[in-house]
Amino acid sequence: MTTYLACMGTRPEIIKMAPIYRTLKAQGEDVQVLHTGQHEEVAQALYTFFDMDPDFQIQLKRQTPTLSNLTAELLQGIDGVIDKVKPDVVLVQGDTASALVGAMAGYYRDVPVAHVEAGLRTGQHDPFPEEKNRELIGRLAHWHFPPTPQAADNLRREGISAQQIFEVGNTVIDAALWVKTQMDQDGASDALPAEVRRFMQDHAASRLMLVTAHRRENWGRPIQLIASAVGVLLRLHPELVVVWPLHPNPSVRADIQNAFSVLGAECRQRLCLTDPLEYPALISLLAHAHFCLTDSGGIQEEASAFKCPVLITRDSTERQELVEAGGAALVGTDPHRIVEQASALLNDPWAYRAMQVQESPFGDGHSAQRIADVLTCARSTH
Ligand code: UDP
């Protein structure tokens, strides 16, 4: 039996690692979960939902709010767990500090590292520091699991041996389809918190735009601009309803709430500002949404699994595949562009249909099995 140490700490990492955890466990492998504590508020509900309770947890002190301090704390904490577990493989996902430091700690202990969702690049400084994190993990990992041909090309261009690159799709699609199937069996509206459920029942015949904004580069003025565009859209389109799960940061929330203070009562009752949603609730809304307006990477990918068009409130994306397939458009944070593109999706059925991709470029729901196959085959010939 192989011992895996799955190292994760943020919402998207937990969601994208869960299908691999479940697949390896189902095959009888020993998978130890290390929670680094990077996202504390939302983590436990996700671990419980995926039946993946952490075996180890790092207690971050975060006395200084710098990346260097976080890195130092993570490195010590993860190294201590590697020393105890003595894993055969360290699994990391994506581009967070937890992923980079997990890869470093594995490398320093000479334990081979598997990088899930490898090869994403914007080729620019932003997103900072994620772009550099994933590049650095690319130098440290032994197995690279890019989700798409484009991501695999990026890795080859950086000189990584073709024998170490396995294009497998993105496990985010496995998770989203799995949750959707569970909800179809159990009743999807049960996943929604009461206020959102009531809101959706009151506006059952309307068209839903799901909005999220969490990227640090959009905090402040850009988020106010996004909110003002949403206000204009509500005024222009009486059939539109908006659900916006707000970022927990108080000043981000205040910016958004203030931007809507001038909205008339009729428009206001078609807007639902709510707390961050639990993952099944988010998927339930995404599966019903007419389209979404978001800066989230994971939501761009998940939306493609539900043929839901995406307007991306960024100037560049490392998920260019969906833009190229026609399922997403980069609109930045300029209110005119947002209003124009969103109005086209609401007014023009042809424009709408053109943005409904028939097949997600990010995966088919079987990525975790492919990863498990590569790892178990490599370990059995070790
Ligand atoms: N998500 C969630 N609740 C929310 C907003 C997002 O469960 O209120 C999920 C979403 O389904 C996706 C993941 O969080 O799987 C994306 O995380 P985030 O947007 O924080 O990060 P990114 O994907 O941009 O790295």
Side-chain angles (χ1 to χ4, degrees), residues 10-13 15-16 39 42 46 93 95-96 117 130 172 175-176 210-215 244-247 274-283 286 294-302 314 318-319:
T10 65
R11 177 170 64 188
E13 287 170 280
I15 292 168
K16 291 173 173 181
H39 276 183
V42 288
L46 279 170
Q93 195 288 331
D95 53 22
T96 64
E117 198 185 61
E130 290 85 357
V172 75
L210 178 66
V211 183
T212 74
H214 78 285
R215 301 199 72 85
W244 187 338
L246 298 181
H247 192 283
T274 181
D275 285 329
L277 294 169
E278 291 198 2
Y279 177 58
L282 195 285
I283 292 295
L286 198 53
T294 187
D295 59 9
S296 158
I299 292 177
Q300 288 171 51
E301 294 156 344
E302 290 158 348
R314 293 175 57 188
E318 52 286 83
R319 278 122 179 135

Side-chain angles (χ1 to χ4, degrees), residues 75-128:
L75 191 55
Q76 244 184 354
I78 298 173
D79 184 62
V81 176
I82 292 180
D83 192 33
K84 247 190 231 133
V85 175
K86 312 228 176 319
D88 302 299
V89 175
V90 171
L91 290 165
V92 298
Q93 195 288 331
D95 53 22
T96 64
S98 298
L100 171 60
V101 179
M104 274 165 69
Y107 178 80
Y108 285 160
R109 290 267 178 184
D110 207 13
V111 180
V113 173
H115 185 205
V116 179
E117 198 185 61
L120 273 62
R121 300 286 184 271
T122 59
Q124 298 171 7
H125 172 267
D126 282 333
F128 172 88

Side-chain angles (χ1 to χ4, degrees), residues 25 133 183 244 249 271 290 336 342 344:
K25 286 290 264 196
N133 286 351
M183 286 188 307
W244 187 338
N249 180 287
L271 170 67
H290 193 59
H336 297 290

Side-chain angles (χ1 to χ4, degrees), residues 16 19 93 116-118 120 145-148 167-176 297-298 301 319 360-368 370-371:
K16 291 173 173 181
Q93 195 288 331
V116 179
E117 198 185 61
L120 273 62
F145 293 110
T148 64
E167 187 202 315
V168 290
N170 198 316
T171 55
V172 75
I173 307 290
D174 302 28
E301 294 156 344
R319 278 122 179 135
S360 168
F362 300 119
D364 57 3
H366 300 289
S367 303
R370 291 187 193 104
I371 292 170

